[in-house]
Amino acid sequence: MKHLKRYRLLSAVVAAVILVGLGSVDLSAERFLPWLGSPAVQAQPAPLRRVNPTAISAQIYEQLPDVPLENQYISSETGAAAEDNTLVSRLIRYHIYIRQRPTNFRLDWKLTLADYLGAFERMSAGDYPDYGLRTNPIAEDIAVVRSLRREQRDRLVDTLYETFTIPPNPGES
């Protein structure tokens, strides 16, 4: 609940900064607040749909082969390497299931990466389940995300956003 309040406050601040930046917007209360409250203007999260983080992460890795897999961890169920349990699949699970952020806003993906960089929400092992692994990969995942160049992180955000918002072509499977 606390992160939802922080998210709403951040969203309001971002909207205000954008509107002020436009310069020609009248910010008087009688004009600004009714406009902001209009359902047609408010951004809406995408409708809930089933998400397969493993399949989506495979799509991401096809487009971004330079992002580390980080799939060397041992499954607590099988005792073998959990090769489908990758950094990107864990990042997607953290974004959707732990932080409950919508998938159709680029800013939300940036906030998730900001969590890994220590710049937004504080991450802890309790907030980052082991996802069926013998050891919790939080420290290593944070280190890997922090080691990515800014360009790599930006491409990752863009690719995640596009994967969740742009429907596939009918000819693609």
Side-chain angles (χ1 to χ4, degrees), residues 26-27 30 47 50 62 65 73 85 94 105 109 125 138 140 143-144 149 167:
D26 178 11
L27 294 179
E30 60 273 0
R50 279 201 169 269
E62 284 179 22
Y73 299 100
N85 193 327
Y94 173 80
F105 297 116
W109 289 107
I138 185 171
E140 293 81 1
V144 169
R149 295 183 317 274

Side-chain angles (χ1 to χ4, degrees), residues 167-173:
N169 291 333
E172 295 178 7
S173 54

Side-chain angles (χ1 to χ4, degrees), residues 123-140:
M123 293 178 74
S124 68
D127 290 338
Y128 202 78
D130 59 22
Y131 301 110
L133 303 174
R134 285 189 181 166
T135 59
N136 192 319
I138 185 171
E140 293 81 1

Side-chain angles (χ1 to χ4, degrees), residues 72-86:
Q72 72 275 13
Y73 299 100
I74 305 299
S75 167
S76 56
E77 187 176 300
T78 66
E83 293 181 5
D84 289 341
N85 193 327
T86 62

Side-chain angles (χ1 to χ4, degrees), residues 82-165:
E83 293 181 5
D84 289 341
N85 193 327
T86 62
L87 170 67
V88 172
S89 69
R90 293 188 296 272
L91 187 144
I92 292 169
R93 286 182 184 99
Y94 173 80
H95 180 90
I96 296 172
Y97 304 123
I98 304 302
R99 290 299 177 204
Q100 299 178 350
R101 293 181 178 137
T103 58
N104 61 325
F105 297 116
R106 187 176 270 112
L107 175 61
D108 287 298
W109 289 107
K110 286 185 177 260
L111 292 176
T112 292
L113 280 185
D115 291 351
Y116 282 82
L117 298 172
F120 192 58
E121 296 279 345
R122 186 174 182 274
M123 293 178 74
S124 68
D127 290 338
Y128 202 78
D130 59 22
Y131 301 110
L133 303 174
R134 285 189 181 166
T135 59
N136 192 319
I138 185 171
E140 293 81 1
D141 286 355
I142 289 171
V144 169
V145 170
R146 288 181 178 178
S147 73
L148 295 174
R149 295 183 317 274
R150 183 182 187 125
E151 175 216 39
Q152 289 175 301
R153 292 192 309 264
D154 287 343
R155 282 192 335 214
L156 178 58
V157 165
D158 290 343
T159 306
L160 285 162
Y161 166 75
E162 290 167 3
T163 300
F164 279 95
T165 58

